Amino acid sequence: MAIITLTTDFGHKDHFAGAIKGTIYKELADARIVDISHSIAPFNIQECAYILKNSYKNFPDGSIHIVGVDSELSPENQHIAVLVDNHYFILANNGVIGLIISEIVPEKVVEIQLPNPIDSSFPEMDVFVKVASHIARGGKLEVIGRAFKDLKILREFNPRFSDDGRTISGSVIYIDNYGNVVTNIHRNKFKSFGKGRPFELLARNKKITQIHRKYGDIINYQLDKSQRKAPGELLALFNSSGYLEIAIYKSDLNTVGGASTLLGLDYRDTVMINFS
């Protein structure tokens, strides 16, 4: 039995996540369900895509991913099922899948068309679970939908590169549990555009001129402890997903704060890199 994952903006107070799981078990008594996250900020397409893009590859091929963010059906928000990179995604055509597969060509995309469709305010339970169960039983996508070619692509989430070769203008796409700020500037783009030149990373009124390999690299262990940098120091690195991250060493939003609070950075705020 394939694994079925859930990624939603439902939170943990309401009944929605539990209702979906119960409905899956009614369809598939031996289902294996994994919660990726139910804490996506409401309707935050970029955050949802970032979390899914960096988690789905850790699941076995054939896994089925139900995505419950901005899923209400409309003429411009179709329900789709996508087979890409040997994984199945069931979601609305709201831009999430376009961000996830920005560098991969999907093998199949269908617009979901179930018999006797329910016009529901809870499509994750009434539509997506039925599709996931069909796939988990070995069913083909062609049975539950027709070929679809109009995937929504959100270009505004890409960083901008100046024509003079000096500036990358990026934006905040995610803030993690520690308050670390993740931007949409990927390591590969930074290296190919910067070509090893000195740079200044500008975030609000702060300047950073060095990118570390990991958080602890900000500490010089050859110095006496009394002379070393301490928790609360600002740094930048490329995180495990390859994206430029602005962080506070050993940050804690409840004590020393995080990069988001200390710098006043929020989702979609601008971050600049100027090269010499």
Side-chain angles (χ1 to χ4, degrees):
M1 181 61 66
I3 291 173
I4 299 175
T5 78
L6 302 176
T7 304
T8 77
D9 59 3
F10 295 160
H12 296 280
K13 177 181 179 180
D14 301 315
H15 65 281
F16 302 116
I20 289 178
K21 292 179 186 179
T23 306
I24 293 172
Y25 285 125
K26 285 173 68 175
E27 293 275 349
L28 304 166
D30 56 347
R32 293 185 292 168
I33 305 172
V34 176
D35 297 295
I36 291 180
S37 176
H38 295 294
S39 298
I40 307 297
F43 305 102
N44 192 321
I45 299 305
Q46 179 66 67
E47 186 173 273
C48 178
Y50 177 81
I51 288 176
L52 262 175
K53 187 173 184 176
N54 294 302
S55 58
Y56 86 84
K57 294 179 182 179
N58 296 293
F59 289 88
D61 286 355
S63 293
I64 304 163
H65 308 283
I66 292 177
V67 185
V69 176
D70 189 25
S71 298
E72 188 169 284
L73 182 66
S74 77
E76 297 179 353
N77 203 39
Q78 305 90 343
H79 290 161
I80 58 175
V82 181
L83 173 60
V84 61
D85 201 17
N86 296 317
H87 288 252
Y88 294 91
F89 294 86
I90 305 165
L91 71 174
N93 183 32
N94 53 23
V96 167
I97 195 66
L99 292 168
I100 292 173
I101 65 171
S102 58
E103 299 174 357
I104 313 172
V105 177
E107 294 143 64
K108 291 181 183 179
V109 182
V110 302
E111 181 178 0
I112 297 169
Q113 295 183 321
L114 298 180
N116 304 313
I118 300 173
D119 188 11
S120 169
S121 63
F122 195 1
E124 296 86 354
M125 184 177 74
D126 297 324
V127 178
F128 294 178
V129 166
K130 288 182 172 61
V131 175
S133 301
H134 168 77
I135 296 169
R137 295 189 185 103
K140 296 183 180 299
L141 293 187
E142 294 84 352
V143 175
I144 52 88
R146 63 181 181 185
F148 185 77
K149 297 182 179 180
D150 297 323
L151 287 181
K152 187 176 292 184
I153 305 298
L154 302 176
R155 303 293 183 189
E156 67 265 29
F157 289 114
N158 294 324
R160 297 186 300 275
F161 301 86
S162 66
D163 293 336
D164 63 6
R166 294 191 61 187
T167 302
I168 302 175
S169 179
S171 59
V172 176
I173 60 172
Y174 185 67
I175 297 172
D176 71 13
N177 188 56
Y178 300 92
N180 298 328
V181 173
V182 181
T183 76
N184 60 353
I185 301 171
H186 195 274
R187 178 195 292 112
N188 295 340
K189 298 292 186 180
F190 174 88
K191 288 185 175 181
S192 62
F193 188 81
K195 298 181 174 61
R197 291 174 291 169
F199 66 90
E200 283 187 342
L201 167 60
L202 307 176
R204 288 285 189 257
N205 62 343
K206 298 293 185 182
K207 293 183 180 180
I208 300 174
T209 58
Q210 182 179 4
I211 296 179
H212 293 282
R213 186 172 58 87
K214 60 183 189 294
Y215 302 100
D217 284 352
I218 197 171
I219 305 300
N220 184 351
Y221 288 97
Q222 295 181 348
L223 296 176
D224 184 84
K225 288 185 178 181
S226 62
Q227 298 176 303
R228 296 176 188 172
K229 292 183 177 180
E233 293 288 340
L234 181 67
L235 70 138
L237 51 76
F238 288 109
N239 65 19
S240 59
S241 303
Y243 288 94
L244 181 64
E245 179 179 309
I246 301 169
I248 299 295
Y249 181 59
K250 291 193 174 180
S251 57
D252 184 338
L253 290 173
N254 296 314
T255 55
V256 297
S260 60
T261 55
L262 296 176
L263 274 65
L265 288 170
D266 205 347
Y267 172 63
R268 300 193 78 164
D269 282 349
T270 299
V271 173
M272 306 285 291
I273 301 177
N274 293 324
F275 293 92
S276 300

